[in-house]
Structure formats: C-alpha cells, structure tokens
Amino acid sequence: MKKLILSSIIALTSLCVFAQKPSPGLLNPTNHTLIMIDYQSQMAFATKNITIEQLRNNAAIVAGASRIFKIPTIVTTVAAKSFSGPVFPEVTEFYPQANFLDRTTMNSWEDANVYKAITATGKKTIVLGGLWTSVCIVGPALSAISEGYNVYFITDACGDVSKEAHDQAVTRMVQVGAHPITSMQYLLELQRDWARSETYKATTDLVKKYGGAYGIGIQYGQEMIKH
C-alpha cells in the first residue's frame, strides 16, 4: 500500500512539474557554469572558519551535484606542483586531475586559460566555490560582475584563514550583487523535484554519502518504505 501511494504521488507530481518552465530566479542544470577553485591541501591547512571534514564533504556535494546534472564545470588549481599540493579526493572522485587548469594568478579571472574556459561555455551565470574566500573567490566574483555576469557563491564550500576573513568576503560580494547559497541548497535546487527519477537515485546516494544527518535520514526513510 505504501509503495502504491508513493507511486501515485510521484506520477501526479511529475505531470504538473515537467509542464512548468524553469523558474528564472533559480539555478538549473542548463543556465550556469560551476567553477571550483583551489581545493588543495596547502590551502586547507590554514582554513579556520569551517572544519576540514565539513569543507571536504561540502566540496563533494558540489562536485557530485555538478556531475549528476552535467553542469559545465571548471576546476582550477594554483601552483599545484610547487606549493599548494593535490586537490581534495572528494573533487577528484568526480573530476580527473588531467583536466584541471593550473595558474599563478590569485584571481582566476585574470588567468588567460581559465577566462577562455569560462567564456567558452556561453553561460552568463557562474557559481563559485573554493579556497580562500577573501582572495580566490572575491577576485573572480567581482571581476565577473564587472563584466555583466550573474554570480553565485557557495558559502559552506568556501574557506578562509579566519571567520572574520570569510564573513567580510561574503559581505563584500553580497554588496556588489553576488548571491550566497550553500552546498546542499545547490544540489537540491538542481534536483528541485523528487519526481525527477533520472537523477533521483544519484542525488540521494550523494546525500547519503556526504550529507551528514540529512543523509542518514534519507537512508532511514528509504529503508522504512520497504516495510
């Protein structure tokens, strides 16, 4: 009976939702580019506004979401071989090292290869996440806005050397029109409706692996529905 009721709800919801146009004020799988910046060990060592465990999990949610929904994604590093070191395994799980764009500039917008990759996607909305908020996120955010881009940044997938540094960077970006979101918000905004069966399992599997208490809740709920 539970399965029959659940199937009926999903079917009815699907008929309504898929007839609707995407909400223009929300992110969707086709309207933006994701840029993941400097998720590297050396940059993480000094991060203080969030625990490394939380940062790694949130980076995984963002990277996983972009892979599930086929988002154009650019992963950048800075001085990978000489200073900043390897990228988090939670990112390389979804994106191979060979495709990363390494640079010397603190502002990735000022790197010719990164800029070319961003503009080549043809998307005028970008989503940013990375280390550090006050340098490597503020730089491209302000640069992109000055060129007419719509900018989002994932606050809990960004880290900095202190809470104050992170918070002031967030304030600065918001003041010029950037939009703060969180990693889980990013994932769920892309999924938007549990009736979207083609991404349902991948989304819930990602949350169960990296989503903390929420992931345990999904595991529990799915198990209970079986009985």
Side-chain angles (χ1 to χ4, degrees):
M1 179 61 72
K2 286 182 180 179
K3 290 183 179 179
L4 179 60
I5 294 172
L6 182 62
S7 297
S8 299
I9 292 172
I10 289 175
L12 290 172
T13 305
S14 179
L15 289 174
C16 296
V17 170
F18 286 108
Q20 297 175 355
K21 294 180 179 179
S23 302
L26 297 174
L27 295 169
N28 67 62
T30 63
N31 70 354
H32 71 283
T33 300
L34 173 68
I35 309 167
M36 303 189 73
I37 300 173
D38 305 349
Y39 285 105
Q40 296 167 268
S41 52
Q42 178 63 36
M43 306 302 293
F45 294 155
T47 296
K48 302 298 182 186
N49 67 297
I50 184 173
T51 68
I52 300 303
E53 292 78 12
Q54 289 176 313
L55 179 63
R56 290 176 63 181
N57 284 340
N58 293 341
I61 289 170
V62 173
S66 70
R67 178 61 77 185
I68 292 167
F69 293 95
K70 300 179 175 62
I71 308 299
T73 300
I74 298 162
V75 182
T76 80
T77 58
V78 62
K81 298 300 182 183
S82 61
F83 179 74
S84 297
V87 171
F88 294 180
E90 291 79 9
V91 176
T92 59
E93 175 182 350
F94 300 100
Y95 291 99
Q97 187 91 26
N99 294 335
F100 297 167
L101 298 177
D102 195 51
R103 23 169 258 288
T104 59
T105 62
M106 295 184 193
N107 181 357
S108 57
W109 201 262
E110 296 174 349
D111 179 89
N113 290 329
V114 175
Y115 184 80
K116 182 179 179 181
I118 295 170
T119 56
T121 68
K123 312 290 184 182
K124 293 298 288 185
T125 296
I126 62 172
V127 177
L128 300 167
L131 306 173
W132 293 325
T133 323
S134 61
V135 182
C136 301
I137 303 301
V138 161
L142 271 61
S143 296
I145 288 171
S146 72
E147 292 191 25
Y149 282 76
N150 189 25
V151 175
Y152 291 74
F153 62 100
I154 305 175
T155 56
D156 65 351
C158 293
D160 216 317
V161 297
S162 68
K163 182 179 184 299
E164 181 176 8
H166 174 79
D167 291 348
Q168 294 295 349
V170 168
T171 298
R172 186 180 181 188
M173 289 186 283
V174 169
Q175 285 176 339
V176 296
H179 311 289
I181 59 174
T182 66
S183 54
M184 192 63 71
Q185 181 181 357
Y186 180 64
L187 172 64
L188 298 183
E189 198 160 310
L190 296 177
Q191 175 65 27
R192 200 94 110 250
D193 191 326
W194 295 122
R196 292 175 177 164
S197 57
E198 68 274 14
T199 52
Y200 173 86
K201 185 179 186 303
T203 295
T204 54
D205 284 350
L206 183 67
V207 175
K208 284 189 289 185
K209 186 173 182 179
Y210 293 112
Y214 181 34
I216 292 296
I218 289 178
Q219 181 186 20
Y220 172 84
Q222 290 178 340
E223 185 65 27
M224 292 301 99
I225 288 174
K226 295 177 183 178
H227 300 291

